[in-house]
Amino acid sequence: MKSDKSIILLEFNELCPSLMQRFIQEGKLPNFQRFYEQSEVYTTDAEEQAPFLEPWIQWVTVHSGLPYSEHQVFLLDEGYKLKAKSIWDIVSEAGLKVWVCGSMNVNYHSPLNGYVMPDFWSTKITPNTAELIPYFRFVQKQVQEHTNDYVPLSRAEYLRFLGFMSSHGLSLQTINAIIQQLIREKITAKYRWQRATIADKLQFDLFCWYYRKLKPQFSTFFINSTAHFQHMYWRNMEPEQFQVKPSATEQREYEKAILFGYQEMDQLIGGFLNLLDNNTTLILSTALSQQPCLTYENIGGKHLYRPRKFEKLLEFAGINSKFVCSPVMAEEFHIRFENNQDATEAEQNLLALQVNQRPMMRLRRTGNDIYGGCGIFDELPNDATLTFVNSGKSIPFFKIFYQIEEIKSGMHHPDGILWIRKPNCQHSVHQEKVSLLAIAPTILELLDVPKADFMKTTALV
């Protein structure tokens, strides 16, 4: 099949319809405003509630056209469990090229006519070409350890990454942004959190380089930085919503953190609009959004704790069997053992950990795989004690764990943004919400590719 049509699906995770309209009306997002005014505008409904309202669930729905009740992918890094074909599989089988750049919780069927780079929390699905491994591994370590003071990367790894990017689209704008970021951190000893937007710029450079090389008919581009800012800094944006108020020092640094994220993404939107030709449809989807997290205000807000080194935690818990541990988001992690028996024994040991005589671990075991994290969310005293009940041994809690600095203040909401900018730039605003299930068949319809039989929802166009 030959086609002169193409689609770029921008997956800007969890941006909020209400905040987008607010910032546009304030004149702070000129590129988003231009995109909006040239698009068919929808609000999507994830049609799920907690605990099934999670981006790693909703993005699988977007990509497959299946609800959670059918695709059954519940955890991050479980995309490999998806049995159905995703949009890129169907487009590839139709003879068209694809370029999947960072999409969350993906699976793909080989051979694929194009390239796939999974999200950076993925350990079981890797890029389908060795060409992308240097980028994928480097950024993966940065993302998985972004809250830790120590990122296990050597000087040689930094140099190899720089070498890779210099031959894969690294722009002068991104180089300048990196330099300015490092200078700002050096002068102020603050703003390390803004590094997430540098990763977005690097990924945009990489996307553009492969986009021009492959000329794909379908491509995706996923980023998560502003979703993270919303989770951490909503309290600073709207302190009047919360019982626990940020300090004056925190406000000086974080009051405009969320706006900063939207404005950084606005610059990327400008780059994408400049990348388009007259045959390309640009789609923005956020899958879901966020709202103020007020659930934990009666305990002083939701505090998150994460192991400094996962190996030290498992050693303290008397776990000697072989395992592979992978950080996920915030306080959560995966531990994979060689067999079910080892995983069962490890689960029992981890459940025997207590902090100040309180059970502390929140775990979910599936076969030889344990997914979990610290289940205590109130603020612990500096002298908190971690005890392994099975042996009676104790150690200062903060010798094994550290507290992620900010108090979580944003939580998920089922509404999402969906803007479809077709080459004719026709604008309309649809008042009724639409299902996430409609996105996959809509993309296939726009590419003149028949939707899969398992997709029950009709296209929006």
Side-chain angles (χ1 to χ4, degrees):
M1 176 180 178
K2 291 185 178 180
S3 176
D4 58 358
K5 297 180 180 180
S6 62
I7 290 175
I8 300 175
L9 174 61
L10 303 181
E11 301 176 339
F12 286 10
N13 195 35
E14 299 177 23
L15 297 191
C16 302
S18 58
L19 293 183
M20 183 70 76
Q21 288 301 318
R22 169 177 154 185
F23 294 148
I24 286 176
Q25 289 168 7
E26 291 173 354
K28 294 173 179 175
L29 303 177
N31 293 310
F32 273 118
Q33 181 172 355
R34 179 158 62 106
F35 188 1
Y36 175 88
E37 292 173 349
Q38 295 175 351
S39 298
E40 293 189 35
V41 176
Y42 300 87
T43 299
T44 55
D45 185 352
E47 301 174 313
E48 299 285 359
Q49 295 295 328
F52 307 113
L53 187 62
E54 297 285 358
W56 43 86
I57 295 176
Q58 270 67 70
W59 283 115
V60 177
T61 295
V62 170
H63 299 145
S64 67
L66 291 173
Y68 168 71
S69 60
E70 294 184 42
H71 67 63
Q72 288 291 294
V73 178
F74 180 67
L75 297 175
L76 186 57
D77 200 19
E78 284 192 342
Y80 70 95
K81 294 183 177 180
L82 178 66
K83 303 303 180 186
K85 294 175 182 176
S86 297
I87 300 169
W88 42 83
D89 297 309
I90 298 168
V91 172
S92 174
E93 288 181 356
L96 305 179
K97 292 181 181 178
V98 300
W99 166 213
V100 179
C101 185
S103 290
M104 179 173 271
N105 228 7
V106 301
N107 196 7
Y108 59 87
H109 294 249
S110 296
L112 196 74
N113 187 19
Y115 289 164
V116 173
M117 182 176 68
D119 68 74
F120 303 109
W121 300 276
S122 176
T123 62
K124 291 192 174 179
I125 299 294
T126 56
N128 70 328
T129 171
E131 198 175 318
L132 285 164
I133 292 294
Y135 181 92
F136 178 74
R137 294 299 186 205
F138 181 89
V139 180
Q140 184 180 55
K141 287 185 179 180
Q142 293 278 4
V143 168
Q144 291 183 353
E145 296 293 346
H146 76 279
T147 63
N148 206 334
D149 291 336
Y150 171 72
V151 178
L153 287 166
S154 65
R155 183 171 180 269
E157 287 175 300
Y158 278 99
L159 291 174
R160 280 197 297 270
F161 179 75
L162 181 60
F164 173 85
M165 283 304 304
S166 66
S167 62
H168 288 77
L170 181 63
S171 65
L172 290 175
Q173 294 95 320
T174 299
I175 293 172
N176 182 61
I178 293 171
I179 293 170
Q180 293 299 318
Q181 174 67 29
L182 294 176
I183 291 173
R184 187 184 306 116
E185 289 182 30
K186 185 71 173 178
I187 292 174
T188 66
K190 299 177 181 178
Y191 301 106
R192 187 175 184 271
W193 56 272
Q194 294 182 353
R195 289 188 183 187
T197 64
I198 300 297
D200 294 348
K201 291 177 171 61
L202 288 166
Q203 189 147 311
F204 176 73
D205 289 348
L206 184 78
F207 175 90
C208 292
W209 192 87
Y210 277 103
Y211 186 80
R212 294 185 177 106
K213 173 185 175 182
L214 290 173
K215 297 179 174 59
Q217 281 75 40
F218 176 65
S219 52
T220 71
F221 179 82
F222 175 92
I223 48 177
N224 186 64
S225 57
T226 301
H228 172 70
F229 297 160
Q230 290 174 163
H231 276 302
M232 293 293 104
Y233 308 124
W234 203 300
R235 184 182 311 274
N236 303 92
M237 179 179 67
E238 295 178 342
E240 67 278 4
Q241 299 257 32
F242 298 86
Q243 294 179 34
V244 181
K245 307 296 183 183
S247 68
T249 301
E250 290 170 336
Q251 283 301 85
R252 281 193 291 272
E253 183 169 357
Y254 302 124
E255 181 179 9
K256 296 182 178 179
I258 291 177
L259 173 60
F260 171 80
Y262 277 77
Q263 289 179 315
E264 289 292 301
M265 287 188 167
D266 187 72
Q267 292 181 32
L268 293 179
I269 290 294
F272 278 106
L273 290 172
N274 291 335
L275 190 64
L276 302 181
D277 61 23
N278 293 329
N279 298 311
T280 301
T281 295
L282 186 65
I283 300 177
L284 171 66
S285 175
T286 68
L288 63 165
S289 62
Q290 289 187 35
Q291 59 189 319
C293 180
L294 306 175
T295 309
Y296 301 89
E297 289 302 285
N298 62 333
I299 61 169
K302 187 176 184 180
H303 297 74
L304 302 176
Y305 304 96
R306 196 164 184 256
R308 298 179 185 276
K309 292 187 177 181
F310 294 93
E311 295 78 7
K312 294 293 185 183
L313 172 64
L314 271 66
E315 179 185 342
F316 179 77
I319 298 169
N320 301 312
S321 49
K322 293 182 179 179
F323 63 87
V324 175
C325 192
S326 306
V328 188
M329 284 187 172
E331 82 284 6
E332 296 177 321
F333 52 87
H334 270 294
I335 315 172
R336 297 189 179 92
F337 295 87
E338 293 186 342
N339 54 66
N340 290 0
Q341 181 178 345
D342 288 349
T344 301
E345 292 174 358
E347 179 187 30
Q348 293 170 351
N349 283 21
L350 289 169
L351 291 174
L353 293 173
Q354 294 186 356
V355 178
N356 292 356
Q357 300 182 335
R358 297 165 57 191
M360 64 161 290
M361 298 303 296
R362 178 173 47 87
L363 304 175
R364 175 190 175 100
R365 185 180 66 82
T366 305
N368 64 339
D369 190 339
I370 295 175
Y371 183 96
C374 180
I376 292 177
F377 301 125
D378 54 316
E379 187 170 13
L380 292 171
N382 293 333
D383 61 354
T385 299
L386 175 64
T387 302
F388 181 41
V389 175
N390 291 359
S391 67
K393 63 180 179 180
S394 296
I395 193 172
F397 175 80
F398 288 106
K399 189 170 184 179
I400 299 289
F401 284 81
Y402 68 95
Q403 181 178 338
I404 296 175
E405 185 175 351
E406 300 84 12
I407 303 173
K408 181 179 172 69
S409 59
M411 61 186 290
H412 295 138
H413 188 283
D415 285 359
I417 292 170
L418 178 63
W419 298 351
I420 303 175
R421 181 193 182 275
K422 292 183 283 190
N424 62 13
C425 296
Q426 182 175 337
H427 175 66
S428 60
V429 179
H430 302 263
Q431 299 299 330
E432 290 190 9
K433 294 179 184 179
V434 299
S435 171
L436 282 184
L437 300 172
I439 294 178
T442 297
I443 289 171
L444 295 172
E445 176 80 12
L446 288 167
L447 290 173
D448 298 324
V449 175
K451 71 176 183 179
D453 292 339
F454 59 78
M455 296 179 182
K456 305 304 181 186
T457 305
T458 57
L460 298 173
V461 294

